[in-house]
Amino acid sequence: MPRGAELAGYQGQPGSFGARAAARWGKPVAFPTFERTLRALLAGEIACAVLPAVNRVDGPILESLDALARSLTELESAIAVEAEIEVPVRLVLAAPPGLALESVREIHSQAAALRQCRHLLARLDAIPIETHDTAYAAFRVKETGGPRAAVCSEEAALEAGLLILEEDVSDVRPNTTRFWRLARAGATADAVPGNDAAPDGPAPRAVFYAGVRASSALAEAGAELLSLPGTPGDPVRGFAVVPEKNVARAAAGTGRPAAGERVIWLGPAPEFVRPPRMRDIPKVTEVREPSVVAVGPFVVGGGRRAVIAGPCAVESPEQIARLARAVARAGATALRGGIFKPRTSPYSFQGHGLEALGWLKDAGDAAGLPIVTEVMAPAQVVPVAERADVLQIGARNCQNYDLLKEAGRSSRPVFLKRGFGTTVEEWLSSAEYLLDAGCKNVILCERGIRTFEKATRGTLDLGGLLVARSLTHLPLFADPSHAAGRRDLVPGLARAAWGAGVDGLMIEVHDAPESALSDGPQALLPEDLEELLDEFGILPGTSGSVERIRRAIDVVDGGIARLAAQRLELARRVGAIKKASGRPIRDEAREASVRARFAEVLGGDTPGATRLADTLIDLALEAEGGKEPAIPRGS
Ligand code: PEP
Ligand code: MN
């Protein structure tokens, strides 16, 4: 690997926004100026240079773009804009302890940062003093003392030992800066002086131009023109950032530029990089829309929720066929059952092995359910994947990396349980193995971790689940059965997880738990499962009975009645406040927006939905009014 392969150069100091941006792409290395950063890049001392290009408040960052422009023209350097990211810029005003806001006379910061908080400067009537970078400004005011404050990141202020006088002082909030990642372009960045034809290969997105104006092709292509102060001979210089979809159009145009124009390609189109939430777990923590895993009727993720149910172990063809029918009737859309059982004692039932896979598959087919079963060793993956719809990796094997790689290579979705001794981060790293091996469909499942508490089999870590939710796009399940270890606690934990927003539940079910070969004490009876799924509004498909659906309707009706009572009470309270303060009771605009919202939730703009919404609101208003017109209609 060449020297500096992982190093990302930036101008500034640790704690500056440049350092933050550089950290997304490598190990940040500080340089005092933009020029020095670019020189280090050209000398191969760093893999990339990270430069601020455009700020949301202030527009083009002249200082860094100018350094880049000079490098491109004077040094004829081949530099490519490889990628762009947007970094939140939360500027604070900070000063050494003891200095009050009214006493601030000088505000030190980088020129671009000072331009982003003109309102603050005007309000405090303070003199702006330019420094190299924001973090340096913080150190400087700490060192020199006096009536001086700095505009910098919160991090830099704390690092320098300053107190924050005012938070978030940018003129426009939220403030952001787009940073470019620049690399040596090698063969890809053709400088095209004299406006030669566009280079072959992928089209560029950013071009540098110098001359009287940018080519009209750029303007037509919707380019964002980042202008720099020019010279009398060359009044306009700048960069054009062309939207990805119009690159071909812009490229066609730059072959025939306007007189006096000079176009330099800045390399192939940069991909717009949204950094993952965790650097070392890029695929699992990629910032993207929720992943949906779908296997026949079983669909989870992105708002779709489902339940996997079945016995701990497949015990016999009859047992699994019976339970498959029972869980399908209850509303589960996938059937579980272990054929290889990881048991603490080698003398306990170990599972019926591959023979039981056939029983499980037949039972699933007959009930119309895909099957989920555990693999414990790499050698089991291929034979099990032949017939199982989803491969489960159990808690004990969460960090069995050979197994993860092998399971990830199979074409089946993988259901990965969290190990009882793994952190959320380790669990996500295990999922990264699966995605990295090519697995497209991964589901994560929290099943209770080991804590000092012995009253339950595990401790269902809902906090960890929520942390995982904030980090990954993958569907997240909870398994209340293994967490509880006791039947009576399973519904409560299931409700808690459901309330926390899991995409699904895995629940163990048995119709003769006292004689189950494993985990009998934690198995729900089929009728318990049915009752629980009623609560969640999960109903079986066409096989459901009228009685069952009526029970579900009763649950919904109960909810509607409770909500209606709650609404009535709230509307009365609003009315009482309005009356006391002399505000008119009727608010037509508010009423119209309430009607519109109802109609939207009820199914959009159809006449039916609008009528139902109107009727409901009319009834609500009438109920609020009651018999006594004085009771306010203040919804
Ligand atoms: C199981 O699902 O049957 C199982 C063994 O679970 P865990 O790996 O979570 O203990
Ligand atoms: Mn079990």
Side-chain angles (χ1 to χ4, degrees):
M1 203 183 275
R3 201 156 60 96
E6 293 301 323
L7 303 180
Y10 69 95
Q11 185 271 336
Q13 289 203 350
S16 64
F17 295 103
R20 212 174 277 179
R24 304 272 179 97
W25 283 312
K27 186 169 180 302
V29 187
F31 292 91
T33 62
F34 293 115
E35 282 78 3
R36 290 270 287 276
T37 318
L38 290 171
R39 256 188 277 142
L41 175 68
L42 291 169
E45 290 163 20
I46 49 179
C48 62
V50 178
L51 254 58
V54 201
N55 171 261
R56 184 159 176 254
V57 180
D58 189 40
I61 310 278
L62 303 178
E63 294 78 5
S64 65
L65 291 181
D66 201 45
L68 176 57
R70 273 201 304 279
S71 168
L72 290 166
T73 48
E74 290 162 22
L75 304 177
E76 302 238 326
S77 62
I79 288 179
V81 179
E82 278 191 332
E84 181 182 284
I85 51 166
E86 193 158 38
V87 173
V89 172
R90 211 163 165 277
L91 294 168
V92 302
L93 180 73
L99 184 68
L101 186 64
E102 316 77 68
S103 316
V104 172
R105 286 291 150 265
E106 287 177 11
I107 296 182
H108 293 237
S109 196
Q110 190 201 26
L114 289 169
R115 292 196 300 266
Q116 290 159 37
C117 46
R118 285 186 236 249
H119 295 342
L120 175 81
L121 288 165
R123 182 155 50 83
L124 298 185
D125 198 16
I127 304 166
I129 309 275
E130 285 182 18
T131 56
H132 263 93
D133 61 84
T134 51
Y136 178 70
F139 279 96
R140 186 104 187 119
V141 307
K142 180 69 199 306
E143 244 172 54
T144 53
R148 300 182 181 90
V151 162
C152 57
S153 70
E154 190 174 341
E155 211 177 321
L158 298 177
E159 184 82 7
L162 301 181
L163 293 183
I164 293 169
L165 297 180
E166 214 171 302
E167 296 195 2
D168 216 354
V169 294
S170 304
D171 292 347
V172 174
R173 277 161 286 191
N175 186 6
T176 56
T177 294
R178 282 153 52 194
F179 282 80
W180 285 352
R181 181 180 71 193
L182 305 171
R184 285 184 305 284
T188 60
D190 301 13
V192 260
N195 308 305
D196 292 336
D200 292 338
R205 184 169 143 212
V207 295
F208 173 70
Y209 63 89
V212 286
R213 60 184 174 80
S215 87
S216 57
L218 290 178
E220 275 167 26
E224 176 189 8
L225 303 178
L226 307 179
S227 298
L228 299 171
T231 57
D234 258 354
V236 177
R237 299 187 304 148
F239 293 87
V241 181
V242 183
E244 203 76 56
K245 61 182 194 306
N246 294 347
V247 162
R249 232 163 95 196
T254 47
R256 292 172 271 102
E261 207 176 70
R262 177 156 182 249
V263 176
I264 295 174
W265 294 99
L266 285 186
E271 81 260 45
F272 182 78
V273 173
R274 252 181 230 262
R277 296 184 179 94
M278 297 179 83
R279 235 184 103 112
D280 296 333
I281 314 179
K283 297 188 168 88
V284 165
T285 68
E286 186 188 341
V287 178
R288 47 159 287 177
E289 70 286 357
S291 293
V292 177
V293 175
V295 189
F298 174 74
V299 186
V300 291
R304 306 287 299 265
R305 311 176 90 183
V307 170
I308 303 171
C312 179
V314 178
E315 297 172 4
S316 69
E318 298 73 29
Q319 173 247 20
I320 192 66
R322 261 190 345 261
L323 289 171
R325 281 195 301 274
V327 302
R329 209 166 38 235
T333 47
L335 174 67
R336 64 150 286 146
I339 59 170
F340 298 109
K341 293 308 304 174
R343 303 306 297 278
T344 307
S345 163
Y347 310 116
S348 302
F349 171 62
Q350 302 285 308
H352 287 304
L354 283 178
E355 193 190 358
L357 182 57
W359 309 340
L360 179 62
K361 182 74 188 153
D362 291 346
D365 285 349
L369 301 179
I371 58 170
V372 183
T373 198
E374 179 169 349
V375 284
M376 298 200 313
Q380 293 167 355
V381 169
V382 169
V384 172
E386 261 172 40
R387 311 192 68 186
D389 299 286
V390 177
L391 303 179
Q392 174 171 326
I393 294 189
R396 292 156 194 80
N397 282 305
C398 177
Q399 290 181 299
N400 181 342
Y401 300 116
D402 284 343
L403 179 61
L404 291 165
K405 286 183 205 167
E406 188 65 16
R409 278 195 287 267
S410 85
S411 55
R412 298 295 188 181
V414 177
F415 186 87
L416 175 64
K417 292 218 180 169
R418 177 181 178 184
F420 32 67
T422 52
T423 63
V424 169
E425 195 173 329
E426 287 164 343
W427 179 30
L428 299 183
S429 290
S430 293
E432 187 78 14
Y433 270 87
L434 295 168
L435 295 191
D436 191 50
C439 185
K440 301 247 181 320
N441 296 295
V442 174
I443 299 170
L444 294 168
C445 180
E446 156 63 32
R447 46 80 70 208
I449 53 173
R450 183 161 286 180
T451 67
F452 58 84
E453 183 54 73
K454 291 198 182 118
T456 47
R457 184 172 173 182
T459 297
L460 188 68
D461 184 14
L462 290 179
L465 251 173
L466 293 174
V467 169
R469 178 68 303 150
S470 72
L471 291 172
T472 183
H473 52 89
L474 297 173
L476 281 165
F477 269 55
D479 168 352
S481 306
H482 289 89
R486 288 170 40 176
R487 177 173 315 117
D488 60 324
L489 302 181
V490 171
L493 287 182
R495 287 184 198 108
W498 198 257
V502 289
D503 297 294
L505 297 169
M506 172 177 263
I507 300 177
E508 286 189 350
V509 175
H510 206 292
D511 53 3
E514 49 311 320
S515 54
L517 294 180
S518 62
D519 285 352
Q522 71 194 30
L524 287 191
L525 294 167
E527 52 269 35
D528 298 337
L529 180 72
E530 224 173 85
E531 211 174 291
L532 185 64
L533 300 201
D534 270 354
E535 275 183 40
F536 300 152
I538 294 183
L539 288 182
T542 46
S543 64
S545 67
V546 169
E547 287 64 37
R548 175 80 198 284
I549 297 173
R550 278 192 178 152
R551 281 213 308 271
I553 289 177
D554 291 346
V555 172
V556 172
D557 284 350
I560 293 176
R562 253 194 320 279
L563 286 172
Q566 204 179 342
R567 189 181 195 289
L568 207 55
E569 172 57 27
L570 292 170
R572 283 196 174 122
R573 278 210 241 164
V574 170
I577 296 170
K578 282 179 173 174
K579 199 172 160 196
S581 61
R583 223 166 115 174
I585 302 295
R586 193 93 193 238
D587 180 340
E588 310 233 326
R590 163 82 183 155
E591 207 177 294
S593 78
V594 171
R595 282 178 199 276
R597 181 148 30 86
F598 254 75
E600 194 187 318
V601 176
L602 285 170
D605 234 0
T606 61
T610 313
R611 259 198 56 213
L612 182 52
D614 279 341
T615 310
L616 284 172
I617 297 287
D618 287 342
L619 288 173
L621 290 174
E622 211 178 293
E624 279 164 41
K627 291 206 174 61
E628 196 191 316
I631 291 186
R633 294 178 140 212
S635 59

